[in-house]
Amino acid sequence: MTERNRIKGEVVSSLDSALNKLYTIWDVIGIADDAVKARAETVSLHLTNLLEEMVQEEDSLRQRLQDSISQYLEQVKSICQELKLPVYTTPTSLTMIQKEKDLRMKMEALTREKNNRMAEMNTLKEQDQRLCEILCMTPYYIPSGTVPSKEQIKELEKHVTTLRAQKEKRHADFISTKKSIVKILNELEQDPDSSFQKEVVTEAEESFILSSDNLNKLKALQQQLTTQKAEIKQTCDDLWQSVKSLWDRLDISESERQQFCTGKDGYKSKVLQALREEILRCEQLKLQNIQRFVQGIRKELTEWWDKCFYSADQREHFEMVFNEEEFTEELLEIHERELEKVKDYYQQNRELLDKMAQRESLFKDMLEAEKKARDPNRFNNRGGKLLQEEKARKKIAKDLPKVEENVKMAIAEWEKENARTFLVGGVNYDTYIAEQWQMYEESKVKEKEQRHILRAKQTVEEMHYGSKPTTPVKRRFQQQTPTKTPQNKQRKMNETKTPGSMSRLHHRSVFASPLARAPLSVTKLRSKTETPKQKRRSSRIHRKILSERNKMVKSQVQDQSHMFSRTTVSSGDSAVSGDSSLASTGSYQDFAHGLAPNARPNCRSSCAMVLSPKKNLF
């Protein structure tokens, strides 16, 4: 049995029971049949009305559910469109109550989503608007009265993040630029002279609008002040240079200079004013000391000519004025104009001339290093001086070619820009460099030849008079036994040399003099017995002999220099190092044979025969 039949059966059973009870009561009461019928119809009418009311109420509920479902459907559809979501559809298997409940819950969820989006959008739009006002930019556009989509919320959030980063960057730029501007104004002792400068310097940092235009104005102001500072600095430097130049020409004392320089640091207006006043004072002194002033300018002009690598031809046009001895104001003005002209030339080509000066300095350092390397006393050093000199030479040898190449490239670029040749000393730079290196090589050859001549002269002198001892005289004679008499020494010198002594002599590059000279002890003993008159006569004789010997040596160096050429003095390299060969003078046996008294009647003549067999020099 279905639920409907069950309800129907219960209702019919209840109605039948109630009707039976009513009719029983009516019978007991004794109500007439017409009244019973009327009462029965009233019961039927009540039951019918009650059922109809119940049906109407239920039908009204159904209608309300239907209306609610329709309303929810419309609202859900509208919110989905606002939220840019697909339209929601309820499952077909749901009843009216389930559908109404499902639509109601969906609508509540969509409403919460809409409210959240609107709240987030409003918050982001407030931040965006505030940042855009600070940065003077256009806010992110979202149509008013619409619900933003998730993509729009993300784009708005990204826009706010970008603006915030840009604000921080602009604020940092503003702070650094403001500090720079304030520093420059303080250095120049200037006050803000425009409304924009006052806004930057005096007002609060938060109130400054960080717009692109304002930042560009700020950068322009900084550049303007930087340029103004540079110009003032250059003006101040020029004034200082003029003052120092005037001081030098006027020979101003150092104490007076120090007194003026005290408290005049920087580029302030009072410093500039003081410098201008000092120049005026020096100008007045200049007119009172024209001669000294012109001479000072000439000295300074020579220095500037050297700095600008002026040639002799370039200086010659000013030579007549430069040597003028009649000192007048007109002459002073001519000198000042020439000096200003040279300074202008230097300023126009300063970078190029500085590079050339650097190259010249390296070249001079190279010459100085080579001079030190040829110094025989350089081995007597302490603290690793030789190692430092070697490092310096290597550095110069490495840097000099690079600097020369840089100078050549700079000159080539200058000539390309100016469409003319850049002259150094009256010639182009390549010729100037080539001539300088050629002079350097020629000086080396000349120095080498001078060493050859000096070595030849020294060799001739050593052959005649004996070589200088390599050890001090005091140390040599300390080893001699004091008991030996002068006669023993003389006899030992006249004796024939032993093979051992000859072998030692063969190892020497320069032989000792063949002259048999008496030892010092003989001279000392002899001097004790001589009278003053004999001493003076002996001194004159000795001086005369030494004079004749010196003349002979000079004539031999001039007339017989070919004896010590490359054929007789080994090679050029050995001559430089001091290892001379005397093969052309004969063997040592021949040389020693002349020392014997019975071989030569006179030692002087034997020595002369060894040197020049064809001439008797004495």
Side-chain angles (χ1 to χ4, degrees), residues 87-188:
V87 178
Y88 179 76
T89 56
T90 58
T92 57
S93 59
L94 297 178
T95 60
M96 292 183 66
I97 294 177
Q98 292 175 341
K99 184 180 292 187
E100 189 269 343
K101 181 179 179 181
D102 181 69
L103 289 172
R104 184 176 67 254
M105 294 178 65
K106 185 65 176 177
M107 188 191 68
E108 291 176 356
L110 292 175
T111 302
R112 285 195 301 272
E113 176 71 16
K114 175 183 177 181
N115 293 334
N116 291 337
R117 288 191 189 182
M118 294 297 294
E120 187 175 2
M121 182 193 70
N122 292 331
T123 302
L124 292 174
K125 285 191 74 174
E126 289 179 1
Q127 298 176 5
D128 185 70
Q129 183 67 30
R130 185 169 60 255
L131 290 171
C132 287
E133 290 176 356
I134 295 174
L135 300 175
C136 256
M137 298 180 67
T138 304
Y140 186 83
Y141 176 73
I142 294 179
S144 59
T146 59
V147 180
S149 63
K150 291 183 178 180
E151 289 75 12
Q152 288 177 325
I153 294 293
K154 290 181 180 179
E155 289 295 328
L156 178 59
E157 185 176 4
K158 182 179 178 181
H159 189 259
V160 170
T161 303
T162 303
L163 291 179
R164 189 178 291 113
Q166 194 167 3
K167 177 200 170 186
E168 293 176 357
K169 181 178 179 300
R170 290 188 180 183
H171 187 265
D173 292 343
F174 166 72
I175 295 298
S176 62
T177 309
K178 177 182 177 180
K179 289 182 179 179
S180 176
I181 291 173
V182 172
K183 181 180 179 181
I184 294 174
L185 291 175
N186 291 334
E187 289 178 354
L188 300 178

Side-chain angles (χ1 to χ4, degrees), residues 264-441:
K264 293 181 177 60
D265 299 329
Y267 319 106
K268 302 174 183 178
S269 57
K270 63 180 182 180
V271 176
L272 296 176
Q273 183 63 27
L275 289 172
R276 292 189 178 98
E277 292 176 356
E278 179 66 13
I279 289 175
L280 290 176
R281 185 184 73 85
C282 292
E283 289 288 344
Q284 294 175 358
L285 292 176
K286 178 181 72 174
L287 296 177
Q288 301 171 7
N289 301 271
I290 291 180
Q291 179 177 353
R292 186 170 55 180
F293 211 85
V294 170
Q295 291 174 350
I297 293 180
R298 287 174 177 175
K299 182 180 178 181
E300 187 177 356
L301 189 58
T302 303
E303 295 175 355
W304 280 100
W305 279 343
D306 294 337
K307 290 177 67 174
C308 295
F309 297 90
Y310 266 36
S311 64
D313 295 337
Q314 289 175 301
R315 306 182 191 200
E316 187 177 358
H317 80 282
F318 198 71
E319 184 177 0
M320 184 178 297
V321 180
F322 194 84
N323 297 324
E324 178 65 42
E325 296 296 334
E326 185 178 352
F327 300 97
T328 61
E329 293 185 17
E330 183 180 1
L331 183 66
L332 177 60
E333 292 178 0
I334 295 174
H335 279 74
E336 289 179 342
R337 286 198 300 268
E338 180 66 19
L339 181 61
E340 191 66 26
K341 175 184 174 183
V342 178
K343 287 183 178 180
D344 290 342
Y345 175 80
Y346 177 80
Q347 291 297 333
Q348 293 172 5
N349 306 280
R350 182 169 188 172
E351 183 177 357
L352 185 56
L353 293 173
D354 288 346
K355 290 181 179 180
M356 292 170 58
Q358 181 186 3
R359 186 264 169 196
E360 292 297 317
S361 177
L362 283 175
F363 191 81
K364 291 180 181 178
D365 292 343
M366 181 192 71
L367 297 180
E368 186 65 25
E370 290 190 356
K371 182 178 179 181
K372 290 181 180 179
R374 294 191 299 270
D375 185 6
N377 298 323
R378 66 192 183 97
F379 296 99
N380 302 327
N381 74 97
R382 296 180 180 271
K385 187 177 180 180
L386 288 178
L387 181 60
Q388 295 176 3
E389 292 178 359
E390 183 64 23
K391 289 182 178 179
R393 284 195 296 271
K394 290 182 179 180
K395 187 176 186 304
I396 293 171
K398 180 180 178 182
D399 294 343
L400 185 57
K402 293 181 180 179
V403 175
E404 281 189 1
E405 189 64 27
N406 291 336
V407 173
K408 290 180 180 179
M409 292 175 61
I411 289 178
E413 185 177 354
W414 185 94
E415 291 178 346
K416 184 178 179 181
E417 292 177 356
N418 295 272
R420 58 190 176 93
T421 304
F422 186 84
L423 298 180
V424 181
V427 295
N428 61 62
Y429 192 69
D430 292 337
T431 305
Y432 175 79
I433 292 293
E435 291 178 352
Q436 195 175 46
W437 281 107
Q438 183 179 359
M439 292 174 61
Y440 165 71
E441 295 296 335

Side-chain angles (χ1 to χ4, degrees), residues 5-26:
N5 292 330
R6 184 182 67 78
I7 295 297
K8 181 179 178 182
E10 290 178 356
V11 170
V12 171
S13 176
S14 297
L15 180 61
D16 185 51
S17 175
L19 287 175
N20 289 331
K21 290 179 179 178
L22 286 173
Y23 275 102
T24 300
I25 293 171
W26 289 338

